[in-house]
Amino acid sequence: MINAEEALRRVDGFYEFVHGNDGSLTQIHNNVLRTFINSPGHGLASGYYYVDIWEFTADASYDYQEVPWAWVEEEGFSAANPNSAERWSMETITSTEMEIKTYFYFLRTRSGETINTWVPFNPNAFSPRYTVTGLPEEIGGLGEEITLYGGFTFGDGQALTILPGTELNLHGDLIFQDGASLTIEEGVTINFMEEDVKIIVDGDLSIIGTLSDRITINGYSFGTNPGNEIIANRGATTRRADIYRVPVRLYRYYGSDKADIRNSKFVLNQGHGGTLVH
């Protein structure tokens, strides 16, 4: 059963989608007797067939922060005997690698009648396409624009690094729970696209621009007080950032917390408040 809420979170979020059709096809049985309790397709009847069985295997390696989703878009059948002739695949998935298996049958004969037909389809003519979607630690890159329409929350032990030159458009809150971290690298532009959208960080926050590639953060353009904020509850490190119309609130609760701001510019229109260090 598909978790609709989780599916939407992956579509409207920082999840990476990787597609491929580079799996391998290996014959595992030759001219063996198998029973299909339902029609295997192509108008063929259920019953006994002599078949060749081919195993399709796709695997991929990655480095995600949680166990990803993975699936084959066009599945074969299972290797069971008797076989229900229902689409089937087996996924073995960890946070670093996945393997997907499914099976295809070449029907040779039935009751002495020559069939010579692939079911559910010929994998040589149409290689099954797989998809992996997971949460990376780094997003973006020079010239890349990313838009987040809904809010997104990073949990304990998770991290997000926005790579140099990325433009990030926020329509929803970006939240980092205790133990999560946000790093914004040089040349990044963040645009708050709606009122009351916030970045809230209960873990580590680093906003690190350079002399030639400063970081720019823009509040929502309309209204005198759009309600955008950056709230860092464990302090923050800020270098060479230009922040417009977005109050920054830094709270230090522990001796190790820091509010280290250097070479940065905060430009706030009337009614926006200011930058506060508590």
Side-chain angles (χ1 to χ4, degrees):
M1 181 178 294
I2 295 175
N3 183 326
E5 181 179 354
E6 179 65 15
L8 287 172
R9 181 173 179 261
R10 288 173 182 263
V11 172
D12 181 24
F14 297 113
Y15 285 88
E16 178 180 72
F17 285 77
V18 177
H19 305 285
N21 60 354
D22 53 346
S24 61
L25 193 63
T26 305
Q27 186 175 7
I28 59 172
H29 292 292
N30 178 59
N31 202 29
V32 294
L33 184 64
R34 288 293 184 266
T35 303
F36 290 96
I37 59 177
N38 299 311
S39 168
H42 302 291
L44 297 169
S46 61
Y48 299 96
Y49 290 83
Y50 281 93
V51 304
D52 298 339
I53 304 176
W54 293 74
E55 180 183 78
F56 174 83
T57 303
D59 54 65
S61 299
Y62 38 74
D63 186 15
Y64 291 137
Q65 301 187 67
E66 58 189 24
V67 176
W69 285 6
W71 63 90
V72 176
E73 296 180 18
E74 289 290 342
E75 297 174 313
F77 295 154
S78 75
N81 186 37
N83 196 295
S84 65
E86 295 176 340
R87 296 300 183 97
W88 178 95
S89 64
M90 180 179 69
E91 297 88 19
T92 303
I93 308 171
T94 71
S95 61
T96 58
E97 59 187 5
M98 74 86 185
E99 181 182 71
I100 297 177
K101 290 186 178 182
T102 191
Y103 297 88
F104 297 88
Y105 292 75
F106 184 73
L107 310 186
R108 287 179 172 269
T109 61
R110 178 177 184 270
S111 301
E113 178 187 0
T114 299
I115 305 297
N116 288 348
T117 298
W118 283 95
V119 295
F121 59 87
N122 183 352
N124 296 293
F126 179 77
S127 182
R129 187 170 185 253
Y130 64 86
T131 299
V132 181
T133 171
L135 183 62
E137 290 193 5
E138 299 178 340
I139 64 166
L142 184 62
E144 185 170 344
E145 183 173 356
I146 298 172
T147 299
L148 179 68
Y149 288 98
F152 200 90
T153 299
F154 289 82
D156 183 16
Q158 294 184 333
L160 176 66
T161 297
I162 305 175
L163 294 175
T166 304
E167 183 170 359
L168 175 61
N169 301 316
L170 293 179
H171 289 265
D173 293 344
L174 194 51
I175 298 173
F176 296 80
Q177 298 175 344
D178 190 19
S181 65
L182 170 61
T183 300
I184 303 171
E185 297 193 335
E186 66 268 20
V188 167
T189 298
I190 297 178
N191 301 310
F192 288 81
M193 306 300 290
E194 297 184 26
E195 293 183 351
D196 298 319
V197 174
K198 296 174 173 60
I199 297 176
I200 302 173
V201 184
D202 289 333
D204 294 329
L205 172 61
S206 296
I207 305 173
I208 309 296
T210 64
L211 189 62
S212 59
D213 290 297
R214 297 176 68 87
I215 291 168
T216 302
I217 301 176
N218 298 309
Y220 186 58
S221 300
F222 300 96
T224 58
N225 188 7
N228 303 133
E229 287 185 303
I230 298 174
I231 302 172
N233 288 319
R234 297 291 299 267
T237 299
T238 304
R239 298 280 192 281
R240 295 187 170 88
D242 301 324
I243 302 176
Y244 300 93
R245 303 182 302 280
V246 184
V248 179
R249 303 183 185 277
L250 309 179
Y251 297 86
R252 295 177 297 172
Y253 294 127
Y254 307 99
S256 59
D257 294 348
K258 57 184 180 298
D260 187 356
I261 303 173
R262 305 182 193 179
N263 305 114
S264 296
K265 181 170 60 177
F266 300 86
V267 180
L268 304 170
N269 292 342
Q270 183 179 1
H272 281 72
T275 299
L276 303 179
V277 178
H278 299 267

